[in-house]
Amino acid sequence: MLYQLEGSQAVARAVALCRPNVVCAYPITPQTHIVEGLGELVHSKQLENCAYMNVESEMGAISAVIGSEAAGVRSYTATSSQGLLYMIEAVYNASGLDLPIVMTLGNRAIGSPINIWNDHADAMAARDAGWLMVFAESNQEAVDLHIQAFKIAEAVKCPIMVCVDGFILTHAYEQVDIPSQEEVDKFLPPYKPEVYLNEKNPVSIGAMVSPTEFMEVRYLEHKKQIKALDIIANIGEEFAKQFGRNSGGLIRQYNVDDADVVIVAMGSVLGTIKDTIDELNAEGNEKFGVLSIVTYRPFPAEAIAKVLQNKKKVIVVEKAFALGRGGILFQEIELALKGTNVKVTSVIAGIGGRNITMSLLKESFKKDDDVTFLGLNHEIIREEEQRLAECNN
Amino acid sequence: MSSLTMGNRFGRNTTVQSSANRPNAITSGHRACQGCGEALAARCAVDAAFNATNGKIAVVNATGCLEVFSCASLESSWNIPWLHSLFGNAAAVASGVAAAFKLNPEKELRVIAQGGDGGTTDIGMGCLSGMFDRNDDVLYICYDNQAYMNTGVQRSSATPALARTATTLPNKVYNGNEPTVGKNVPDIAIAHGIPYVATASVGDIHDLEAKVAKAINIKGAKYIQIHCPCPLGWGHATSDTIKIAKLAIKCGLYPLFEAENGIINSTKIESFIPVEEYLKTQKRFAHLFGKNADPANIQILQKIANSNIERYQLGVIADE
């Protein structure tokens, strides 16, 4: 059924439809409305058989869901930015313990300087933590990806992070189709864990592993992630078949077949990029297409290469970068296209909530620069560098 | 089996440990040092909880000696459901486990979280306080050997005044751990208003088992801190673990009490011994003795003992 909803409320309702048994809440902007929404659903008994825990920190939040998942029940939490970094030790721990936790990451910049607005620095900080990671383009996709996320995580036996752009999606009101409980129940069966804390088979979970086996354990985790590519793709197809929306899977293409130049991006900026290339294509010089990365971990390098290997140029637009190195997604795309003649360039955009406008994008797509910091105010940079030089003299 | 154990079995007040069919929640063959107070305390505590619940317990363990020596390299000593996540989050993980078990009361297991003093009073304090605040149905047991033993005997907030650790090494101008630092976590636990807080010691197994057996069936958050001598970290003979724990009780430096709903009841001591008798058994206090040592330092520790005796009403100090 269609509702006019704030993104966070839509996510809260989607999560509730997945019947979690434990929800942990700790406030951090911009994910807070999601756990507030779930709290209301639990306390009004619209979501039953669910423990709602107000915890003392993000470390407490992730730790409590580690405990509840290890005890064999479906568990959910959400965080953003500094909160993700505060829990990062346990983020790695959760994946090492094979616990299918679902966590929303309301993407936000990381300080210092402190900044509450959207970019992808938080997600990138956790990209090697062994979690599956998917990025939502719209609020509808955020709803759909959360419903798929529980199924994916439980099938792969691995935690999953659903990345939803802070404010741009979490606080935006859009029309979204919220499926009925019957529909979600049909798609997502009750969780049946294989290994969990119980007295009949008293397992020890979380043993120390020595150098003689540690590498094998980590290698198998890596292999599990690679295998997850098929599982995520299949569950995406299954979802599309039942709900009529192609909102999961690994990657999505927009005008890619005819394109000379393909823009690659993740998350909510894809809408702006699609509008931009529509205008560019109408102008009629080069042909532009868009490749959306839906699943970032595991990285669908093969699927990406297959689509992009014969293109003239690929422009990677991303909302994060590694200081001292540059674009992160850019490097991964470049590596995926190793051995081809595709030129890959990098556009760093929207850092700390900076507006990404169509005119700026259009300008950067027409140029051939290796790296563009979109909308960077060169006047400020010049003045500051001059001031520092004077201070040092 | 020693004759003492045999004797215990025929006596009226038998311990769980002295019974022939003790649960063995943690089996032999683990990698603890000889004379480890923590291994002994954990066996007594978890077995007592096992007996008091007909085996319906699950344990969440913080990183530390106990975790490392009991569950390493694909071998586990635990005969109960056991979970290790991290160093500082055992209380929060246990809260999550308890929340999950509550959903299915028929299959509910009682939950223990346990760790050393570092994992509890330092790095675990935030999660522990959260667990107390929510009054989550968890018994948290702190095995207090008064320093970070697993990493090589560094100072924790439970390290006693003037003790030598690897990060408080005494020298000519420094007497070891500053007497003005440290925190009283049982008091902090009581201040959270939780239903049950206790201290215990491997020097009194009957008392330890009784407290665990009582606490495990109380609904809500519980905290028990158990004094566990560490031969390696404290510098004493491996055969003296229990003797030294008893001396700590008798001199007033480790007061045994329980607080049910905030009302403190302590174990009375008939006649106190001077703190020297306890201190001189351990190399971590060796710098307080000898010909160049300042006797004022011993007095600092005696004052701490006296203040415990008064505060927890442990008994009457005999006049000199």
Side-chain angles (χ1 to χ4, degrees), chain A residues 21 49 51 53-56 60 63-64 66-68 70-71 73 89-90 93 197-199 202-208 210 213, chain B residues 56 68 71-74 76 78-86 89 92-93 95-97 99-101 103 109 126-127 130 134:
Chain A
N21 296 117
N49 204 30
M53 298 175 71
N54 276 301
V55 291
E56 73 289 341
S63 300
I66 284 173
S68 55
V73 305
E89 185 192 11
N93 185 252
L197 299 171
N198 69 90
E199 55 174 318
V203 285
S204 296
I205 302 173
M208 187 180 220
S210 64
E213 296 96 14
Chain B
K56 295 197 177 301
V68 171
C71 194
S73 291
L74 314 180
S76 175
W78 298 99
N79 279 328
I80 44 153
W82 183 89
L83 169 66
H84 161 243
S85 173
L86 295 167
N89 71 350
V93 172
S95 292
V97 171
F101 285 157
L103 297 163
L109 303 180
C127 288
R134 296 183 298 270

CSV table of all heavy atoms in Angstrom, one decimal, chain A residues 21 49 51 53-56 60 63-64 66-68 70-71 73 89-90 93 197-199 202-208 210 213, chain B residues 56 68 71-74 76 78-86 89 92-93 95-97 99-101 103 109 126-127 130 134:
chain,number,residue,atom,x,y,z
A,21,ASN,N,13.2,-9.8,16.7
A,21,ASN,CA,12.9,-10.1,18.1
A,21,ASN,C,13.6,-9.2,19.1
A,21,ASN,O,13.3,-9.1,20.3
A,21,ASN,CB,13.3,-11.6,18.4
A,21,ASN,CG,12.4,-12.6,17.6
A,21,ASN,OD1,12.9,-13.3,16.8
A,21,ASN,ND2,11.1,-12.5,17.8
A,49,ASN,N,6.3,-9.6,20.3
A,49,ASN,CA,7.4,-10.5,20.5
A,49,ASN,C,8.8,-9.9,20.1
A,49,ASN,O,9.6,-10.6,19.5
A,49,ASN,CB,7.2,-11.8,19.6
A,49,ASN,CG,7.9,-13.0,20.2
A,49,ASN,OD1,8.1,-13.1,21.4
A,49,ASN,ND2,8.3,-13.9,19.3
A,51,ALA,N,11.9,-7.5,21.9
A,51,ALA,CA,12.5,-6.7,23.0
A,51,ALA,C,13.1,-5.4,22.4
A,51,ALA,O,13.9,-5.5,21.5
A,51,ALA,CB,13.6,-7.5,23.7
A,53,MET,N,15.5,-2.4,23.3
A,53,MET,CA,16.5,-2.1,24.3
A,53,MET,C,17.1,-0.7,24.1
A,53,MET,O,17.7,-0.5,23.0
A,53,MET,CB,17.7,-3.2,24.3
A,53,MET,CG,17.2,-4.6,24.6
A,53,MET,SD,18.6,-5.8,24.4
A,53,MET,CE,19.6,-5.3,25.8
A,54,ASN,N,16.9,0.1,25.0
A,54,ASN,CA,17.6,1.4,25.0
A,54,ASN,C,19.0,1.2,25.7
A,54,ASN,O,19.1,1.0,26.9
A,54,ASN,CB,16.8,2.5,25.8
A,54,ASN,CG,15.8,3.1,25.0
A,54,ASN,OD1,16.1,3.7,24.0
A,54,ASN,ND2,14.5,3.0,25.4
A,55,VAL,N,20.1,1.2,24.9
A,55,VAL,CA,21.4,0.9,25.4
A,55,VAL,C,22.2,2.1,25.7
A,55,VAL,O,21.8,3.3,25.4
A,55,VAL,CB,22.1,-0.1,24.5
A,55,VAL,CG1,21.4,-1.4,24.5
A,55,VAL,CG2,22.2,0.5,23.1
A,56,GLU,N,23.4,1.9,26.3
A,56,GLU,CA,24.2,3.0,26.8
A,56,GLU,C,25.2,3.6,25.8
A,56,GLU,O,25.8,4.6,26.0
A,56,GLU,CB,24.9,2.6,28.1
A,56,GLU,CG,26.1,1.6,27.9
A,56,GLU,CD,25.7,0.2,27.5
A,56,GLU,OE1,24.5,-0.1,27.7
A,56,GLU,OE2,26.5,-0.5,26.9
A,60,GLY,N,27.4,-0.8,23.1
A,60,GLY,CA,26.3,-1.6,23.8
A,60,GLY,C,25.3,-2.1,22.8
A,60,GLY,O,24.8,-3.2,22.9
A,63,SER,N,26.7,-4.9,20.7
A,63,SER,CA,27.1,-6.0,21.5
A,63,SER,C,25.8,-6.8,21.9
A,63,SER,O,25.7,-8.0,22.0
A,63,SER,CB,27.8,-5.5,22.8
A,63,SER,OG,29.0,-4.9,22.4
A,64,ALA,N,24.7,-6.0,22.2
A,64,ALA,CA,23.5,-6.7,22.6
A,64,ALA,C,22.9,-7.5,21.5
A,64,ALA,O,22.4,-8.6,21.7
A,64,ALA,CB,22.5,-5.6,23.1
A,66,ILE,N,24.7,-8.8,19.1
A,66,ILE,CA,25.6,-10.0,19.0
A,66,ILE,C,25.1,-11.0,20.0
A,66,ILE,O,24.9,-12.2,19.6
A,66,ILE,CB,27.0,-9.6,19.3
A,66,ILE,CG1,27.7,-8.8,18.1
A,66,ILE,CG2,27.9,-10.8,19.6
A,66,ILE,CD1,29.0,-8.2,18.4
A,67,GLY,N,24.8,-10.6,21.2
A,67,GLY,CA,24.3,-11.6,22.2
A,67,GLY,C,22.9,-12.2,21.8
A,67,GLY,O,22.8,-13.4,21.8
A,68,SER,N,22.0,-11.4,21.3
A,68,SER,CA,20.7,-11.9,21.0
A,68,SER,C,20.7,-12.8,19.7
A,68,SER,O,20.1,-13.8,19.7
A,68,SER,CB,19.7,-10.8,20.8
A,68,SER,OG,20.1,-9.9,19.9
A,70,ALA,N,23.4,-14.6,18.9
A,70,ALA,CA,24.0,-15.8,19.3
A,70,ALA,C,23.0,-16.7,20.1
A,70,ALA,O,23.2,-17.9,20.1
A,70,ALA,CB,25.2,-15.5,20.2
A,71,ALA,N,22.0,-16.0,20.7
A,71,ALA,CA,21.0,-16.8,21.4
A,71,ALA,C,19.9,-17.3,20.4
A,71,ALA,O,18.9,-17.9,20.8
A,71,ALA,CB,20.4,-16.0,22.5
A,73,VAL,N,18.0,-15.4,17.9
A,73,VAL,CA,16.8,-14.7,17.5
A,73,VAL,C,17.2,-13.5,16.5
A,73,VAL,O,18.3,-13.0,16.6
A,73,VAL,CB,16.0,-14.1,18.6
A,73,VAL,CG1,15.6,-15.2,19.6
A,73,VAL,CG2,16.7,-13.0,19.4
A,89,GLU,N,35.0,-2.3,16.7
A,89,GLU,CA,35.6,-3.5,17.1
A,89,GLU,C,34.5,-4.6,17.1
A,89,GLU,O,34.8,-5.8,16.7
A,89,GLU,CB,36.1,-3.3,18.6
A,89,GLU,CG,36.9,-4.5,19.1
A,89,GLU,CD,37.2,-4.4,20.6
A,89,GLU,OE1,36.6,-3.6,21.3
A,89,GLU,OE2,37.9,-5.3,21.0
A,90,ALA,N,33.3,-4.3,17.5
A,90,ALA,CA,32.3,-5.3,17.6
A,90,ALA,C,31.7,-5.6,16.2
A,90,ALA,O,31.1,-6.6,16.0
A,90,ALA,CB,31.2,-4.9,18.6
A,93,ASN,N,33.7,-8.2,15.0
A,93,ASN,CA,33.4,-9.4,15.8
A,93,ASN,C,32.2,-10.1,15.3
A,93,ASN,O,32.1,-11.3,15.2
A,93,ASN,CB,33.3,-9.0,17.3
A,93,ASN,CG,33.1,-10.1,18.2
A,93,ASN,OD1,32.0,-10.3,18.7
A,93,ASN,ND2,34.2,-10.9,18.4
A,197,LEU,N,23.1,-20.5,21.3
A,197,LEU,CA,23.3,-20.9,22.7
A,197,LEU,C,22.1,-21.7,23.2
A,197,LEU,O,21.0,-21.1,23.2
A,197,LEU,CB,23.5,-19.7,23.6
A,197,LEU,CG,24.7,-18.8,23.3
A,197,LEU,CD1,24.7,-17.5,24.0
A,197,LEU,CD2,26.0,-19.5,23.5
A,198,ASN,N,22.3,-23.0,23.5
A,198,ASN,CA,21.2,-23.8,24.0
A,198,ASN,C,21.8,-24.9,24.9
A,198,ASN,O,22.9,-25.3,24.7
A,198,ASN,CB,20.3,-24.3,22.9
A,198,ASN,CG,20.9,-25.3,22.1
A,198,ASN,OD1,20.9,-26.5,22.4
A,198,ASN,ND2,21.6,-24.9,21.0
A,199,GLU,N,20.9,-25.4,25.8
A,199,GLU,CA,21.5,-26.4,26.7
A,199,GLU,C,21.6,-27.8,26.1
A,199,GLU,O,22.4,-28.6,26.6
A,199,GLU,CB,20.6,-26.5,28.0
A,199,GLU,CG,19.1,-26.8,27.7
A,199,GLU,CD,18.3,-27.0,29.0
A,199,GLU,OE1,18.8,-27.6,29.9
A,199,GLU,OE2,17.2,-26.4,29.0
A,202,PRO,N,25.5,-27.7,24.0
A,202,PRO,CA,26.2,-26.5,24.6
A,202,PRO,C,27.5,-26.2,23.9
A,202,PRO,O,28.5,-26.6,24.2
A,202,PRO,CB,26.4,-26.9,26.0
A,202,PRO,CG,26.5,-28.4,26.0
A,202,PRO,CD,25.6,-28.9,24.9
A,203,VAL,N,27.3,-25.4,22.8
A,203,VAL,CA,28.5,-25.0,22.0
A,203,VAL,C,29.3,-23.9,22.7
A,203,VAL,O,28.7,-23.1,23.5
A,203,VAL,CB,28.1,-24.5,20.6
A,203,VAL,CG1,27.7,-25.6,19.7
A,203,VAL,CG2,27.0,-23.4,20.8
A,204,SER,N,30.6,-23.8,22.4
A,204,SER,CA,31.4,-22.6,22.8
A,204,SER,C,31.5,-21.8,21.5
A,204,SER,O,32.1,-22.2,20.5
A,204,SER,CB,32.8,-23.1,23.2
A,204,SER,OG,32.7,-23.8,24.4
A,205,ILE,N,31.1,-20.5,21.6
A,205,ILE,CA,31.1,-19.6,20.4
A,205,ILE,C,32.2,-18.5,20.7
A,205,ILE,O,32.1,-17.9,21.8
A,205,ILE,CB,29.8,-19.0,20.1
A,205,ILE,CG1,28.7,-20.1,19.9
A,205,ILE,CG2,29.8,-18.0,18.9
A,205,ILE,CD1,27.3,-19.5,19.8
A,206,GLY,N,33.1,-18.3,19.8
A,206,GLY,CA,34.1,-17.3,19.9
A,206,GLY,C,35.4,-17.7,20.5
A,206,GLY,O,36.0,-17.0,21.3
A,207,ALA,N,35.8,-18.9,20.1
A,207,ALA,CA,37.1,-19.4,20.7
A,207,ALA,C,38.3,-18.6,20.0
A,207,ALA,O,38.2,-18.0,19.0
A,207,ALA,CB,37.2,-20.9,20.3
A,208,MET,N,39.4,-18.7,20.7
A,208,MET,CA,40.6,-18.1,20.2
A,208,MET,C,41.2,-19.1,19.1
A,208,MET,O,41.0,-20.3,19.3
A,208,MET,CB,41.6,-18.0,21.3
A,208,MET,CG,42.9,-17.3,20.9
A,208,MET,SD,44.0,-17.2,22.3
A,208,MET,CE,44.7,-15.5,22.1
A,210,SER,N,44.6,-20.0,16.7
A,210,SER,CA,46.0,-19.7,16.7
A,210,SER,C,46.5,-19.6,15.2
A,210,SER,O,45.7,-19.8,14.3
A,210,SER,CB,46.8,-20.9,17.4
A,210,SER,OG,46.5,-22.1,16.6
A,213,GLU,N,45.5,-22.1,12.3
A,213,GLU,CA,44.2,-22.2,11.6
A,213,GLU,C,43.6,-20.8,11.3
A,213,GLU,O,42.7,-20.7,10.5
A,213,GLU,CB,43.2,-22.9,12.5
A,213,GLU,CG,43.5,-24.4,12.8
A,213,GLU,CD,44.2,-24.5,14.1
A,213,GLU,OE1,44.2,-23.6,14.9
A,213,GLU,OE2,44.7,-25.6,14.4
B,56,LYS,N,20.4,-25.0,33.7
B,56,LYS,CA,19.9,-24.0,32.8
B,56,LYS,C,20.6,-22.7,32.8
B,56,LYS,O,20.1,-21.7,33.3
B,56,LYS,CB,18.4,-23.8,33.0
B,56,LYS,CG,17.6,-25.1,32.7
B,56,LYS,CD,16.1,-24.8,32.6
B,56,LYS,CE,15.3,-26.1,32.2
B,56,LYS,NZ,15.8,-26.7,31.0
B,68,VAL,N,41.0,-17.1,27.5
B,68,VAL,CA,42.1,-17.6,26.7
B,68,VAL,C,42.5,-19.1,27.2
B,68,VAL,O,42.7,-20.0,26.4
B,68,VAL,CB,43.4,-16.7,26.8
B,68,VAL,CG1,44.6,-17.4,26.2
B,68,VAL,CG2,43.1,-15.4,26.1
B,71,CYS,N,39.3,-21.7,26.3
B,71,CYS,CA,38.7,-22.0,24.9
B,71,CYS,C,39.7,-21.5,23.9
B,71,CYS,O,39.5,-20.4,23.3
B,71,CYS,CB,37.4,-21.3,24.8
B,71,CYS,SG,36.4,-21.8,23.4
B,72,ALA,N,40.7,-22.2,23.6
B,72,ALA,CA,41.7,-21.8,22.6
B,72,ALA,C,42.0,-23.0,21.6
B,72,ALA,O,41.9,-24.1,22.0
B,72,ALA,CB,43.0,-21.3,23.3
B,73,SER,N,42.4,-22.6,20.4
B,73,SER,CA,42.9,-23.5,19.4
B,73,SER,C,41.9,-24.7,19.3
B,73,SER,O,42.3,-25.9,19.4
B,73,SER,CB,44.3,-24.0,19.8
B,73,SER,OG,45.2,-22.9,19.6
B,74,LEU,N,40.7,-24.4,19.0
B,74,LEU,CA,39.7,-25.5,18.7
B,74,LEU,C,39.4,-26.4,19.8
B,74,LEU,O,38.9,-27.5,19.6
B,74,LEU,CB,40.1,-26.2,17.4
B,74,LEU,CG,40.6,-25.4,16.2
B,74,LEU,CD1,41.0,-26.3,15.0
B,74,LEU,CD2,39.6,-24.3,15.8
B,76,SER,N,37.6,-26.6,23.8
B,76,SER,CA,36.9,-25.8,24.8
B,76,SER,C,36.7,-26.7,26.1
B,76,SER,O,36.5,-27.9,26.0
B,76,SER,CB,35.5,-25.5,24.3
B,76,SER,OG,34.7,-24.9,25.3
B,78,TRP,N,34.4,-25.8,28.2
B,78,TRP,CA,33.1,-25.5,28.8
B,78,TRP,C,32.0,-26.6,28.4
B,78,TRP,O,31.9,-26.9,27.2
B,78,TRP,CB,32.6,-24.1,28.2
B,78,TRP,CG,33.6,-23.0,28.7
B,78,TRP,CD1,34.6,-22.5,28.0
B,78,TRP,CD2,33.6,-22.4,30.0
B,78,TRP,NE1,35.2,-21.5,28.8
B,78,TRP,CE2,34.6,-21.5,30.0
B,78,TRP,CE3,32.8,-22.6,31.1
B,78,TRP,CZ2,34.9,-20.7,31.1
B,78,TRP,CZ3,33.1,-21.8,32.2
B,78,TRP,CH2,34.1,-20.8,32.2
B,79,ASN,N,31.4,-27.0,29.4
B,79,ASN,CA,30.3,-28.0,29.2
B,79,ASN,C,28.9,-27.3,29.2
B,79,ASN,O,27.9,-28.0,29.4
B,79,ASN,CB,30.3,-29.1,30.3
B,79,ASN,CG,31.4,-30.1,29.9
B,79,ASN,OD1,31.6,-30.4,28.8
B,79,ASN,ND2,32.0,-30.7,31.0
B,80,ILE,N,28.9,-26.0,29.0
B,80,ILE,CA,27.7,-25.3,29.0
B,80,ILE,C,27.7,-24.4,27.8
B,80,ILE,O,28.8,-24.1,27.2
B,80,ILE,CB,27.6,-24.4,30.3
B,80,ILE,CG1,29.0,-23.7,30.5
B,80,ILE,CG2,27.2,-25.2,31.5
B,80,ILE,CD1,28.9,-22.5,31.2
B,81,PRO,N,26.5,-23.8,27.3
B,81,PRO,CA,26.6,-22.9,26.2
B,81,PRO,C,27.4,-21.6,26.6
B,81,PRO,O,27.1,-21.0,27.7
B,81,PRO,CB,25.1,-22.5,26.0
B,81,PRO,CG,24.3,-23.3,27.0
B,81,PRO,CD,25.2,-24.1,27.8
B,82,TRP,N,28.4,-21.3,25.8
B,82,TRP,CA,29.4,-20.3,26.2
B,82,TRP,C,29.7,-19.4,25.0
B,82,TRP,O,29.8,-19.9,23.9
B,82,TRP,CB,30.6,-21.0,26.6
B,82,TRP,CG,31.8,-20.2,27.1
B,82,TRP,CD1,32.0,-19.8,28.4
B,82,TRP,CD2,32.9,-19.7,26.3
B,82,TRP,NE1,33.2,-19.1,28.4
B,82,TRP,CE2,33.8,-19.0,27.2
B,82,TRP,CE3,33.3,-19.8,25.0
B,82,TRP,CZ2,34.9,-18.4,26.8
B,82,TRP,CZ3,34.4,-19.2,24.5
B,82,TRP,CH2,35.3,-18.5,25.5
B,83,LEU,N,29.8,-18.1,25.2
B,83,LEU,CA,30.0,-17.1,24.2
B,83,LEU,C,31.0,-16.1,24.6
B,83,LEU,O,30.9,-15.5,25.6
B,83,LEU,CB,28.6,-16.4,23.8
B,83,LEU,CG,28.7,-15.2,22.9
B,83,LEU,CD1,29.1,-15.6,21.5
B,83,LEU,CD2,27.3,-14.5,22.8
B,84,HIS,N,32.0,-15.9,23.7
B,84,HIS,CA,33.0,-14.9,23.9
B,84,HIS,C,32.9,-13.9,22.7
B,84,HIS,O,32.9,-14.3,21.6
B,84,HIS,CB,34.4,-15.5,24.0
B,84,HIS,CG,35.5,-14.5,23.7
B,84,HIS,ND1,36.3,-14.5,22.6
B,84,HIS,CD2,35.8,-13.3,24.4
B,84,HIS,CE1,37.2,-13.5,22.7
B,84,HIS,NE2,36.9,-12.7,23.7
B,85,SER,N,32.7,-12.6,23.0
B,85,SER,CA,32.7,-11.6,22.0
B,85,SER,C,34.0,-10.8,22.1
B,85,SER,O,34.9,-11.0,21.3
B,85,SER,CB,31.4,-10.8,22.1
B,85,SER,OG,31.5,-9.7,21.2
B,86,LEU,N,34.0,-9.8,23.0
B,86,LEU,CA,35.1,-8.9,23.1
B,86,LEU,C,35.5,-8.7,24.5
B,86,LEU,O,34.9,-9.2,25.5
B,86,LEU,CB,34.8,-7.6,22.4
B,86,LEU,CG,34.5,-7.6,20.9
B,86,LEU,CD1,33.9,-6.3,20.5
B,86,LEU,CD2,35.8,-7.9,20.1
B,89,ASN,N,32.8,-5.7,26.3
B,89,ASN,CA,31.3,-5.7,26.0
B,89,ASN,C,30.5,-6.9,26.6
B,89,ASN,O,29.4,-7.1,26.2
B,89,ASN,CB,31.0,-5.6,24.5
B,89,ASN,CG,31.4,-6.9,23.7
B,89,ASN,OD1,32.0,-7.8,24.3
B,89,ASN,ND2,31.0,-7.0,22.5
B,92,ALA,N,27.0,-6.1,27.9
B,92,ALA,CA,26.0,-5.8,26.9
B,92,ALA,C,25.6,-7.0,26.1
B,92,ALA,O,24.4,-7.3,25.7
B,92,ALA,CB,26.5,-4.7,26.0
B,93,VAL,N,26.6,-7.9,25.7
B,93,VAL,CA,26.3,-9.1,25.0
B,93,VAL,C,25.4,-10.0,25.8
B,93,VAL,O,24.4,-10.5,25.3
B,93,VAL,CB,27.6,-9.9,24.7
B,93,VAL,CG1,27.3,-11.3,24.1
B,93,VAL,CG2,28.5,-9.1,23.7
B,95,SER,N,23.3,-9.0,28.1
B,95,SER,CA,22.0,-8.3,28.1
B,95,SER,C,21.2,-8.8,26.8
B,95,SER,O,20.0,-9.1,26.9
B,95,SER,CB,22.1,-6.8,28.0
B,95,SER,OG,22.6,-6.3,29.2
B,96,GLY,N,21.9,-8.8,25.7
B,96,GLY,CA,21.2,-9.3,24.5
B,96,GLY,C,20.8,-10.7,24.5
B,96,GLY,O,19.7,-11.1,24.1
B,97,VAL,N,21.7,-11.6,25.1
B,97,VAL,CA,21.4,-13.0,25.3
B,97,VAL,C,20.1,-13.2,26.2
B,97,VAL,O,19.2,-13.9,25.8
B,97,VAL,CB,22.6,-13.8,25.9
B,97,VAL,CG1,22.2,-15.2,26.2
B,97,VAL,CG2,23.7,-13.8,24.9
B,99,ALA,N,17.8,-11.0,26.7
B,99,ALA,CA,16.6,-10.5,26.0
B,99,ALA,C,16.0,-11.5,25.1
B,99,ALA,O,14.8,-11.7,25.0
B,99,ALA,CB,16.9,-9.2,25.3
B,100,ALA,N,16.9,-12.2,24.4
B,100,ALA,CA,16.5,-13.3,23.5
B,100,ALA,C,15.8,-14.4,24.2
B,100,ALA,O,14.8,-14.9,23.8
B,100,ALA,CB,17.7,-13.8,22.7
B,101,PHE,N,16.5,-14.8,25.3
B,101,PHE,CA,15.9,-16.0,26.1
B,101,PHE,C,14.5,-15.6,26.7
B,101,PHE,O,13.7,-16.5,26.8
B,101,PHE,CB,16.9,-16.4,27.2
B,101,PHE,CG,18.1,-17.1,26.8
B,101,PHE,CD1,19.3,-17.1,27.6
B,101,PHE,CD2,18.1,-17.8,25.6
B,101,PHE,CE1,20.4,-17.8,27.2
B,101,PHE,CE2,19.3,-18.5,25.2
B,101,PHE,CZ,20.4,-18.5,26.0
B,103,LEU,N,12.2,-14.2,25.4
B,103,LEU,CA,11.1,-14.3,24.4
B,103,LEU,C,10.4,-15.7,24.5
B,103,LEU,O,9.3,-15.9,24.0
B,103,LEU,CB,11.6,-14.1,23.0
B,103,LEU,CG,12.1,-12.6,22.8
B,103,LEU,CD1,13.0,-12.6,21.6
B,103,LEU,CD2,11.0,-11.7,22.7
B,109,LEU,N,17.3,-19.8,29.6
B,109,LEU,CA,18.5,-20.1,30.4
B,109,LEU,C,18.8,-18.9,31.2
B,109,LEU,O,18.6,-17.8,30.8
B,109,LEU,CB,19.7,-20.5,29.5
B,109,LEU,CG,19.5,-21.6,28.5
B,109,LEU,CD1,20.7,-21.8,27.7
B,109,LEU,CD2,19.1,-22.9,29.2
B,126,GLY,N,31.4,0.8,30.9
B,126,GLY,CA,30.2,1.5,30.3
B,126,GLY,C,29.1,0.5,30.1
B,126,GLY,O,28.0,0.7,30.4
B,127,CYS,N,29.5,-0.7,29.5
B,127,CYS,CA,28.4,-1.7,29.2
B,127,CYS,C,27.9,-2.3,30.5
B,127,CYS,O,26.7,-2.6,30.6
B,127,CYS,CB,29.0,-2.8,28.3
B,127,CYS,SG,29.3,-2.3,26.6
B,130,GLY,N,25.4,0.1,31.9
B,130,GLY,CA,24.2,0.1,31.1
B,130,GLY,C,23.3,-1.1,31.5
B,130,GLY,O,22.1,-1.1,31.6
B,134,ARG,N,19.5,-0.8,33.1
B,134,ARG,CA,18.3,-1.4,32.6
B,134,ARG,C,17.8,-2.6,33.4
B,134,ARG,O,16.8,-3.2,33.2
B,134,ARG,CB,18.6,-2.0,31.2
B,134,ARG,CG,19.0,-0.9,30.1
B,134,ARG,CD,19.2,-1.5,28.8
B,134,ARG,NE,20.3,-2.5,28.7
B,134,ARG,CZ,21.6,-2.2,28.5
B,134,ARG,NH1,21.9,-1.0,28.2
B,134,ARG,NH2,22.5,-3.1,28.5
